[in-house]
Amino acid sequence: MNFKTFYRTSPLRIWLIVISSILQPFILITTSYLNMLQISALRNHNQKAWLTIIIVSLLAYLSSYFCDMSASYLLATHMREFNQQLREKVLRHLYDEKRNYQVTEVENQLTNDLNMVNDQYFNLLPTICVFLGYIIFSVIALLTINWTLLLITLLTVLISMLLPKLIDKPIQRAMENVSIKNRQYLDLVEKWLGGIAELQRYAAGDHLMSVMHLGAKRLEEAKLRQNAKQQILSIITGSISQVMIFALFVWTGVLIKKDIVPFGAIAVIGNFSHYMSTGIEYLPYYLGLIKGTSVLREQITRATLPMKNHSESESSEVPFSFKTKNLTIKFQNGETLKFPDIEIDYGEKILLTGDSGAGKSTLFKLILNFLEPSSGQIEFKNQNGEIINPDLTKIGYIAQNSILFPSTVKRNITMFNDNLNNLAEIAGKEMDLQADNTAFVQGLNTKINLQKLNISGGQRQKIILARAQVHHSNILLIDEGTSAIDQTATLKILHQLLQRPNTIIFIAHNFNQRMNNLFDREIHLNK
């Protein structure tokens, strides 16, 4: 993620931004140079020349504003297109990586980190061009007046460019710290405000405010430290700028006294020194900000790289059955779960029960490779009973807290595959969704509102079960898939599910004997 990728978004637009930005200081400095001729014309009582220069100067100032506005508009257009492409690459990377990300981690990457890089890197393109133009054109103007003025300027520029080297690493560390604290704060918001209803129930508002205040304070302190480092850089470069202004005025006075430069130079040297000092003060400062984004840009670059398609190098097959051998997993807190050896044939209907904390849900995550086992292995087999490299995306999974999206009930069932619309209607009936007509006024075309929660927990589970029905999998893992559904509806749903030929492993702890008898066998895990 650098100016090269930024440039490739639209090379023509970048050139227009650069040209418009450079024209602005060129016009302003040329106009200031004309002021010297204007004073000479006024001193010689040449009113026609004096008036002509005033009109030309006015038109020049207007054209300078036009260049400024054009560069700003073109940059905003370019940034919108570039950010859109960048976010698409990040989302594609996240999708293809198949790793469980925290929502706050992704939010921070797509918003705060990207905005910081935009503000302190890409958005500085016209600013850098303007300040660079101030220095270059001021140097040319001063050279035409007297070369010694140029010598003083070049010496000052050299010093001011080297000084920021002393502080660019602290600025870089401060920026990284802001990103970390912002990510921690977003994580705090997600974890605590996600349970605000529970906090309200137990009147724990004071503790909520205390926790959120502490998180916000840490974030603001990180921003304050970053701002302090930036201010130090500004003070260093600003001091050099003031020394330069003083030197230019003193030396110009000496040259005028010796009749080496015209008297009008004293009137315009102030403008040149202002443009020059502005360029010298802010150009190194903004270059320091750009240098400070290097680590953050590298992080975003890694998040935009396309993932390698392993399916091309490693052939995978659809699994039909599996077995576990000596499977264990050790957690960071020191707890270890050991699982019995399990062998499940294709088409079996298994009820998985066990003590709380025995690892029922963990076993599912190991099967799906969401977690890595500490020891042991899981062998998958194809329809012929041969050991295979499995395509784990073909294993159906219904988690305890399955995800719904802010779309229609039907599209949540089909997962946005319109070819499955007819199957969604059938699955909806099998999962008894027609009994919820009072909630689904428009049937399966009712839009789910995740903000107002216009569906119950039982309705949510029915939709997820219908999703599993239409996306047929040879192996289906269901974790408490009917816990929020009444027993009558659960029994009806189980009859529909278990008559299918695929392998089903169902975690449940509140089934009655009649429900248990629907399964081929029960596997009980002990803690």
Side-chain angles (χ1 to χ4, degrees), residues 485-499:
I485 304 173
D486 65 78
Q487 290 198 347
T488 302
T490 296
L491 191 61
K492 182 177 179 181
I493 289 170
L494 286 175
H495 275 294
Q496 293 290 344
L497 279 174
L498 300 179
Q499 70 180 1

Side-chain angles (χ1 to χ4, degrees), residues 182-432:
N182 189 77
R183 187 160 53 248
Q184 292 174 347
Y185 183 66
L186 289 174
D187 184 58
L188 196 71
V189 170
E190 180 184 40
K191 285 182 169 61
W192 284 88
L193 294 188
I196 193 168
E198 198 71 8
L199 292 168
Q200 291 169 339
R201 183 178 297 112
Y202 293 98
D206 290 343
H207 186 70
L208 171 66
M209 298 304 172
S210 175
V211 170
M212 297 305 295
H213 172 74
L214 182 59
K217 182 180 178 182
R218 289 171 178 168
L219 175 59
E220 292 306 318
E221 286 175 348
K223 290 182 178 179
L224 186 63
R225 286 191 290 271
Q226 180 193 21
N227 183 262
K229 297 291 191 301
Q230 293 173 348
Q231 291 303 318
I232 291 172
L233 178 59
S234 179
I235 290 171
I236 292 173
T237 55
S239 299
I240 296 298
S241 172
Q242 294 305 313
V243 170
M244 185 214 67
I245 293 173
F246 179 75
L248 279 177
F249 267 110
V250 170
W251 188 243
T252 302
V254 172
L255 294 177
I256 290 174
K257 186 175 181 180
K258 294 182 177 182
D259 293 328
I260 297 175
V261 299
F263 177 78
I266 195 65
V268 298
I269 197 65
N271 290 339
F272 292 141
S273 64
H274 169 71
Y275 292 132
M276 179 66 73
S277 64
T278 301
I280 291 175
E281 179 179 358
Y282 287 104
L283 184 60
Y285 169 73
Y286 287 118
L287 290 175
L289 293 183
I290 287 176
K291 183 73 178 294
T293 64
S294 58
V295 173
L296 207 54
R297 284 188 286 112
E298 288 175 6
Q299 293 174 357
I300 295 176
T301 298
R302 287 195 297 270
T304 60
L305 296 176
M307 297 296 297
K308 293 181 180 179
N309 189 356
H310 296 289
S311 61
E312 295 178 359
S313 57
E314 301 179 9
S315 60
S316 59
E317 297 182 46
V318 177
F320 280 76
S321 60
F322 67 92
K323 67 177 181 179
T324 68
K325 290 181 180 180
N326 302 320
L327 197 63
T328 65
I329 183 170
K330 186 174 183 179
F331 298 98
Q332 291 183 348
N333 62 4
E335 182 182 0
T336 300
L337 290 177
K338 297 181 179 180
F339 298 92
D341 291 348
I342 299 171
E343 185 167 0
I344 296 176
D345 297 326
Y346 176 62
E348 280 197 283
K349 309 300 185 287
I350 306 297
L351 179 62
L352 184 62
T353 60
D355 304 332
S356 177
K360 300 183 292 296
S361 299
T362 301
L363 178 59
F364 278 6
K365 292 176 182 178
L366 287 168
I367 293 170
L368 295 163
N369 201 32
F370 291 169
L371 295 174
E372 290 284 344
S374 302
S375 62
Q377 59 182 339
I378 303 173
E379 289 184 353
F380 292 90
K381 298 179 180 180
N382 61 17
Q383 198 167 12
N384 299 322
E386 301 167 334
I387 297 175
I388 60 169
N389 175 38
D391 182 355
L392 298 179
T393 63
K394 301 301 181 183
I395 297 178
Y397 176 50
I398 299 177
Q400 290 186 30
N401 299 310
S402 294
I403 302 297
L404 293 182
F405 299 92
S407 186
T408 64
V409 174
K410 180 182 290 184
R411 303 205 78 187
N412 269 277
I413 293 173
T414 65
M415 284 304 293
F416 314 102
N417 185 347
D418 293 337
N419 295 326
L420 300 177
N421 284 344
N422 291 335
L423 292 178
E425 297 285 350
I426 298 171
K429 292 179 180 178
E430 291 179 350
M431 294 301 108
D432 206 28

Side-chain angles (χ1 to χ4, degrees), residues 167-175 229-230 233 288-289 292:
I167 200 170
D168 61 351
K169 287 186 177 179
I171 287 179
Q172 181 176 310
R173 288 194 296 268
M175 183 177 294
K229 297 291 191 301
Q230 293 173 348
L233 178 59
L289 293 183

